[in-house]
Amino acid sequence: MPKKNTVPLAMALAAMASLVAMGTVNAQEKVIKIGQLGVMSGPAASWGLVNRYSAEAHAAMINEAGGWEVDGEKYRIEIVSVDDRNDPRTAIAGAERLIYQEGIKYIIGTNVDDTTQAILPTLAAGGAFAVSYGHTRSLFETPNDNTGLGNIAGYQMSPIIYKFLVEDRGITSVSFIARNDLNGLGNRDAGVEAAKALDLEILSSDATYETGTTDFFPVLSPLVRANPDMLVLSGVAPSDAGLLIRAARELGYTGIISTETAHDAAVLREIAGEAANGFISQGGASTPEIRTPYVEEFMENYESVAGEWNDEAGTKIYALEMILQTISAAGTAAITDVEAFKAVIPDVSLENPFVIGGEPRLRWVGADWFGHPRQVSVPVVVNEFQDGAFKTLVVTSVE
């Protein structure tokens, strides 16, 4: 009796999906599929939607220019997006769909620590690599070698913001309020350490709130009564930031309000209005002082995709570019082999197409933070919100 084929169906489907991802099913058009996994609903939706719109706008520019070249062959870039709802279990299901059903090896996202932590085993088992926006250091340290950090972490941003405010605004005291999850608490702890290093007086650091909170008066009232020079919103979602700022101002707080993450000017305008004036946050990397004509073209494409520009998109444009540049450096094998991709990470060093003069170069940094280079070299920008838009305060970089 002939022996039956015992290859598991899932493995067969995964192999077929990989062939589709490489474009070998349709020899007329080679395709590299890139996954985008993040929160695109609820209070933090802005974070994931900016990732999605940035990837789609950038991919459209690449495709209109004839595609992305790898070893002399042109590939069309296709973005496949999945909403993880900021939920770890949904993030795992989303990662499995992208890897095993879509045959995708490279993912942009997720947006926070909890969801990135949840998908680490899925990435390792499926041989996939993610450019994440979670900030906890262990997410990018060995043995978690299949992740890279796509922006500036809170523990890198806080010292820069606080130092500027000490020197420029003369602040001497600070209080913290954090979202009660891994991302918020981690950013708060890093902020506390940065404040101690600058000898700032910490009036309070134990105030937290739960996801879904809309009435912030109870938790903010004691912080406002203590009247610190600066109130730090640690790891807050975009819509939460507007509500917190408005509540603090209505309680009579007149000091500086800041956060270590990037935010959406449209959301601040809509929720907090003039109360958001003076709010200090991480800026996108597209500030007018440094951006190239290529970024301005991207901004026009982004507005076509999303309806309006979001300053944070200037940071998010980097993920797709770094993934594709690293694939090109490694060669065709890296399209389906993440090990080949990782092997060339230390060698990638290119003129930065998004920054005037091309410096600092486009490369993987972060060896001092994670033990190996696993962070995209995104410029560090500190912004202040004024009259409906962001104004640049600081431009620098991290190693």
Side-chain angles (χ1 to χ4, degrees):
M1 178 180 292
K3 188 176 180 179
K4 292 183 178 179
N5 186 346
T6 57
V7 175
L9 179 59
M11 292 179 62
L13 290 172
M16 182 178 294
S18 293
L19 291 175
V20 173
M22 287 185 66
T24 54
V25 171
N26 180 0
Q28 301 303 312
E29 185 179 57
K30 294 178 179 294
V31 176
I32 297 177
K33 296 171 75 173
I34 303 293
Q36 184 267 320
L37 177 64
V39 51
M40 289 177 276
S41 55
S46 174
W47 282 335
L49 288 172
V50 173
N51 275 121
R52 174 181 176 176
Y53 298 149
S54 296
E56 291 178 350
H58 194 189
M61 291 171 65
I62 293 168
N63 293 335
E64 287 169 5
W68 189 267
E69 185 171 322
V70 182
D71 283 344
E73 298 279 355
K74 290 283 191 176
Y75 293 80
R76 184 173 65 83
I77 305 304
E78 180 180 337
I79 305 298
V80 181
S81 292
V82 175
D83 181 5
D84 68 17
R85 304 174 193 167
N86 225 15
D87 175 68
R89 288 178 296 182
T90 306
I92 293 170
E96 290 176 342
R97 175 189 156 189
L98 292 172
I99 294 168
Y100 295 113
Q101 294 184 24
E102 300 288 345
I104 286 172
K105 292 294 184 183
Y106 300 97
I107 296 172
I108 299 171
T110 65
N111 295 103
V112 299
D113 292 6
D114 304 71
T115 48
T116 300
Q117 180 71 46
I119 69 169
L120 291 176
T122 308
L123 294 171
F129 186 94
V131 175
S132 164
Y133 299 89
H135 287 173
T136 299
R137 292 189 196 188
S138 61
L139 297 173
F140 311 104
E141 296 172 340
T142 299
N144 300 317
D145 296 335
N146 286 24
T147 46
L149 175 58
N151 63 354
I152 308 301
Y155 43 81
Q156 297 169 323
M157 201 71 195
S158 296
I160 295 170
I161 292 176
Y162 301 173
K163 184 173 185 292
F164 169 80
L165 292 175
V166 166
E167 294 176 350
D168 191 76
R169 309 286 172 88
I171 66 167
T172 60
S173 61
V174 57
S175 290
F176 294 84
I177 179 171
R179 193 178 57 179
N180 190 19
D181 62 16
L182 192 59
N183 205 56
L185 299 178
N187 280 325
R188 179 203 59 190
D189 294 344
V192 168
E193 290 304 311
K196 288 179 178 176
L198 290 167
D199 293 327
L200 288 172
E201 181 183 8
I202 299 170
L203 302 184
S204 175
S205 61
D206 58 358
T208 62
Y209 69 92
E210 301 299 326
T211 299
T213 299
T214 56
D215 179 6
F216 289 100
F217 283 84
V219 70
L220 279 174
S221 292
L223 303 184
V224 171
R225 283 197 296 272
N227 196 28
D229 292 337
M230 177 171 65
L231 177 61
V232 176
L233 316 179
S234 294
V236 296
S239 61
D240 292 345
L243 292 172
L244 281 157
I245 293 167
R246 192 175 68 191
R249 296 305 186 204
E250 288 177 358
L251 285 166
Y253 182 66
T254 58
I256 294 171
I257 303 177
S258 78
T259 186
E260 67 290 315
T261 53
H263 283 265
D264 185 336
V267 174
L268 291 170
R269 283 196 303 269
E270 179 181 347
I271 298 177
E274 292 183 356
N277 282 345
F279 177 56
I280 293 175
S281 65
Q282 180 179 159
S286 60
T287 185
E289 290 85 347
I290 62 173
R291 69 185 178 219
T292 61
Y294 189 71
V295 173
E296 292 174 353
E297 182 184 351
F298 167 74
M299 293 170 70
E300 292 178 2
N301 272 268
Y302 185 94
E303 289 177 357
S304 297
V305 171
E308 64 179 343
W309 173 244
N310 184 325
D311 183 65
E312 191 185 355
T315 300
K316 301 300 177 62
I317 191 177
Y318 278 77
L320 179 60
E321 182 77 16
M322 281 302 291
I323 289 171
L324 295 177
Q325 290 288 3
T326 307
I327 289 174
S328 287
T332 306
I335 296 175
T336 55
D337 182 1
V338 164
E339 296 305 314
F341 176 96
K342 291 190 296 184
V344 302
I345 280 178
D347 303 323
V348 175
S349 179
L350 305 152
E351 185 175 294
N352 190 330
F354 309 129
V355 176
I356 294 173
E359 299 286 346
R361 294 179 71 79
L362 192 64
R363 57 197 181 96
W364 294 92
V365 297
D368 291 343
W369 298 91
F370 313 119
H372 57 176
R374 281 295 187 278
Q375 181 174 12
V376 179
S377 57
V378 178
V380 179
V381 176
V382 179
N383 278 344
E384 182 175 26
F385 186 85
Q386 283 291 352
D387 299 327
F390 288 115
K391 181 178 71 176
T392 303
L393 298 178
V394 178
V395 179
T396 184
S397 61
V398 298
E399 279 298 321

